[in-house]
PDB file of all heavy atoms in Angstrom:
ATOM      1  N   PHE A 100      12.807   5.171  13.742  1.00 95.00           N
ATOM      2  CA  PHE A 100      13.851   4.482  12.983  1.00 95.00           C
ATOM      3  C   PHE A 100      13.977   5.069  11.583  1.00 95.00           C
ATOM      4  O   PHE A 100      15.084   5.308  11.095  1.00 95.00           O
ATOM      5  CB  PHE A 100      13.551   2.984  12.888  1.00 95.00           C
ATOM      6  CG  PHE A 100      14.445   2.264  11.914  1.00 95.00           C
ATOM      7  CD1 PHE A 100      15.692   1.804  12.324  1.00 95.00           C
ATOM      8  CD2 PHE A 100      14.050   2.072  10.599  1.00 95.00           C
ATOM      9  CE1 PHE A 100      16.531   1.167  11.418  1.00 95.00           C
ATOM     10  CE2 PHE A 100      14.892   1.432   9.693  1.00 95.00           C
ATOM     11  CZ  PHE A 100      16.125   0.974  10.106  1.00 95.00           C
ATOM     12  N   ALA A 101      12.844   5.276  10.917  1.00 94.00           N
ATOM     13  CA  ALA A 101      12.867   5.821   9.562  1.00 94.00           C
ATOM     14  C   ALA A 101      13.527   7.192   9.521  1.00 94.00           C
ATOM     15  O   ALA A 101      14.267   7.513   8.590  1.00 94.00           O
ATOM     16  CB  ALA A 101      11.450   5.898   8.994  1.00 94.00           C
ATOM     17  N   ALA A 102      13.283   8.013  10.540  1.00 94.00           N
ATOM     18  CA  ALA A 102      13.903   9.340  10.599  1.00 94.00           C
ATOM     19  C   ALA A 102      15.419   9.226  10.707  1.00 94.00           C
ATOM     20  O   ALA A 102      16.163   9.957  10.033  1.00 94.00           O
ATOM     21  CB  ALA A 102      13.338  10.130  11.775  1.00 94.00           C
ATOM     22  N   ARG A 103      15.902   8.325  11.555  1.00 95.00           N
ATOM     23  CA  ARG A 103      17.345   8.123  11.693  1.00 95.00           C
ATOM     24  C   ARG A 103      17.940   7.546  10.416  1.00 95.00           C
ATOM     25  O   ARG A 103      19.053   7.904  10.013  1.00 95.00           O
ATOM     26  CB  ARG A 103      17.641   7.188  12.874  1.00 95.00           C
ATOM     27  CG  ARG A 103      17.260   7.757  14.231  1.00 95.00           C
ATOM     28  CD  ARG A 103      18.087   8.971  14.593  1.00 95.00           C
ATOM     29  NE  ARG A 103      17.780   9.439  15.934  1.00 95.00           N
ATOM     30  CZ  ARG A 103      18.339  10.497  16.491  1.00 95.00           C
ATOM     31  NH1 ARG A 103      19.235  11.191  15.814  1.00 95.00           N
ATOM     32  NH2 ARG A 103      18.006  10.882  17.717  1.00 95.00           N
ATOM     33  N   ALA A 104      17.217   6.640   9.777  1.00 94.00           N
ATOM     34  CA  ALA A 104      17.721   6.042   8.540  1.00 94.00           C
ATOM     35  C   ALA A 104      17.787   7.079   7.416  1.00 94.00           C
ATOM     36  O   ALA A 104      18.715   7.055   6.602  1.00 94.00           O
ATOM     37  CB  ALA A 104      16.836   4.868   8.131  1.00 94.00           C
ATOM     38  N   ARG A 105      16.816   7.989   7.366  1.00 94.00           N
ATOM     39  CA  ARG A 105      16.877   9.062   6.359  1.00 94.00           C
ATOM     40  C   ARG A 105      18.087   9.953   6.593  1.00 94.00           C
ATOM     41  O   ARG A 105      18.756  10.381   5.643  1.00 94.00           O
ATOM     42  CB  ARG A 105      15.585   9.892   6.391  1.00 94.00           C
ATOM     43  CG  ARG A 105      14.380   9.208   5.778  1.00 94.00           C
ATOM     44  CD  ARG A 105      13.252  10.196   5.538  1.00 94.00           C
ATOM     45  NE  ARG A 105      12.770  10.794   6.787  1.00 94.00           N
ATOM     46  CZ  ARG A 105      11.800  10.278   7.525  1.00 94.00           C
ATOM     47  NH1 ARG A 105      11.204   9.147   7.154  1.00 94.00           N
ATOM     48  NH2 ARG A 105      11.398  10.884   8.636  1.00 94.00           N
ATOM     49  N   TRP A 106      18.344  10.256   7.849  1.00 94.00           N
ATOM     50  CA  TRP A 106      19.529  11.044   8.200  1.00 94.00           C
ATOM     51  C   TRP A 106      20.797  10.330   7.736  1.00 94.00           C
ATOM     52  O   TRP A 106      21.694  10.938   7.133  1.00 94.00           O
ATOM     53  CB  TRP A 106      19.539  11.248   9.715  1.00 94.00           C
ATOM     54  CG  TRP A 106      20.741  11.957  10.270  1.00 94.00           C
ATOM     55  CD1 TRP A 106      21.401  13.019   9.724  1.00 94.00           C
ATOM     56  CD2 TRP A 106      21.425  11.644  11.499  1.00 94.00           C
ATOM     57  NE1 TRP A 106      22.451  13.395  10.539  1.00 94.00           N
ATOM     58  CE2 TRP A 106      22.482  12.573  11.627  1.00 94.00           C
ATOM     59  CE3 TRP A 106      21.224  10.699  12.487  1.00 94.00           C
ATOM     60  CZ2 TRP A 106      23.356  12.564  12.721  1.00 94.00           C
ATOM     61  CZ3 TRP A 106      22.079  10.696  13.576  1.00 94.00           C
ATOM     62  CH2 TRP A 106      23.130  11.613  13.685  1.00 94.00           C
ATOM     63  N   ALA A 107      20.886   9.027   7.997  1.00 93.00           N
ATOM     64  CA  ALA A 107      22.063   8.258   7.599  1.00 93.00           C
ATOM     65  C   ALA A 107      22.215   8.225   6.082  1.00 93.00           C
ATOM     66  O   ALA A 107      23.323   8.360   5.550  1.00 93.00           O
ATOM     67  CB  ALA A 107      21.970   6.839   8.160  1.00 93.00           C
ATOM     68  N   LEU A 108      21.099   8.055   5.362  1.00 93.00           N
ATOM     69  CA  LEU A 108      21.170   8.002   3.904  1.00 93.00           C
ATOM     70  C   LEU A 108      21.628   9.331   3.308  1.00 93.00           C
ATOM     71  O   LEU A 108      22.371   9.357   2.319  1.00 93.00           O
ATOM     72  CB  LEU A 108      19.804   7.618   3.326  1.00 93.00           C
ATOM     73  CG  LEU A 108      19.477   6.125   3.258  1.00 93.00           C
ATOM     74  CD1 LEU A 108      18.080   5.924   2.692  1.00 93.00           C
ATOM     75  CD2 LEU A 108      20.504   5.387   2.408  1.00 93.00           C
ATOM     76  N   GLY A 109      21.174  10.436   3.900  1.00 92.00           N
ATOM     77  CA  GLY A 109      21.613  11.741   3.417  1.00 92.00           C
ATOM     78  C   GLY A 109      23.117  11.898   3.517  1.00 92.00           C
ATOM     79  O   GLY A 109      23.774  12.397   2.585  1.00 92.00           O
ATOM     80  N   LEU A 110      23.683  11.467   4.652  1.00 92.00           N
ATOM     81  CA  LEU A 110      25.133  11.538   4.824  1.00 92.00           C
ATOM     82  C   LEU A 110      25.845  10.489   3.974  1.00 92.00           C
ATOM     83  O   LEU A 110      26.963  10.708   3.499  1.00 92.00           O
ATOM     84  CB  LEU A 110      25.490  11.332   6.293  1.00 92.00           C
ATOM     85  CG  LEU A 110      25.112  12.453   7.260  1.00 92.00           C
ATOM     86  CD1 LEU A 110      25.401  12.033   8.700  1.00 92.00           C
ATOM     87  CD2 LEU A 110      25.867  13.728   6.925  1.00 92.00           C
ATOM     88  N   LEU A 111      25.205   9.345   3.776  1.00 92.00           N
ATOM     89  CA  LEU A 111      25.814   8.265   3.002  1.00 92.00           C
ATOM     90  C   LEU A 111      26.059   8.690   1.556  1.00 92.00           C
ATOM     91  O   LEU A 111      26.999   8.215   0.914  1.00 92.00           O
ATOM     92  CB  LEU A 111      24.897   7.039   3.039  1.00 92.00           C
ATOM     93  CG  LEU A 111      25.505   5.686   2.682  1.00 92.00           C
ATOM     94  CD1 LEU A 111      26.526   5.268   3.729  1.00 92.00           C
ATOM     95  CD2 LEU A 111      24.427   4.630   2.567  1.00 92.00           C
ATOM     96  N   ARG A 112      25.247   9.596   1.065  1.00 90.00           N
ATOM     97  CA  ARG A 112      25.361  10.052  -0.317  1.00 90.00           C
ATOM     98  C   ARG A 112      26.219  11.307  -0.452  1.00 90.00           C
ATOM     99  O   ARG A 112      26.234  11.930  -1.511  1.00 90.00           O
ATOM    100  CB  ARG A 112      23.966  10.301  -0.882  1.00 90.00           C
ATOM    101  CG  ARG A 112      23.201   8.999  -1.114  1.00 90.00           C
ATOM    102  CD  ARG A 112      21.762   9.214  -1.450  1.00 90.00           C
ATOM    103  NE  ARG A 112      21.117   7.951  -1.803  1.00 90.00           N
ATOM    104  CZ  ARG A 112      19.841   7.674  -1.593  1.00 90.00           C
ATOM    105  NH1 ARG A 112      19.056   8.573  -1.008  1.00 90.00           N
ATOM    106  NH2 ARG A 112      19.327   6.505  -1.948  1.00 90.00           N
ATOM    107  N   SER A 113      26.904  11.682   0.608  1.00 89.00           N
ATOM    108  CA  SER A 113      27.791  12.838   0.539  1.00 89.00           C
ATOM    109  C   SER A 113      29.084  12.460  -0.183  1.00 89.00           C
ATOM    110  O   SER A 113      29.633  11.377   0.032  1.00 89.00           O
ATOM    111  CB  SER A 113      28.125  13.341   1.950  1.00 89.00           C
ATOM    112  OG  SER A 113      29.147  14.314   1.894  1.00 89.00           O
ATOM    113  N   PRO A 114      29.609  13.350  -1.054  1.00 85.00           N
ATOM    114  CA  PRO A 114      30.895  13.067  -1.699  1.00 85.00           C
ATOM    115  C   PRO A 114      32.074  13.215  -0.754  1.00 85.00           C
ATOM    116  O   PRO A 114      33.192  12.847  -1.101  1.00 85.00           O
ATOM    117  CB  PRO A 114      30.949  14.111  -2.825  1.00 85.00           C
ATOM    118  CG  PRO A 114      30.114  15.236  -2.331  1.00 85.00           C
ATOM    119  CD  PRO A 114      29.013  14.609  -1.528  1.00 85.00           C
TER     120      PRO A 114
END
Side-chain angles (χ1 to χ4, degrees):
F100 169 85
R103 295 295 184 181
R105 286 194 298 270
W106 176 39
L108 276 179
L110 290 174
L111 199 67
R112 289 171 174 149
S113 170

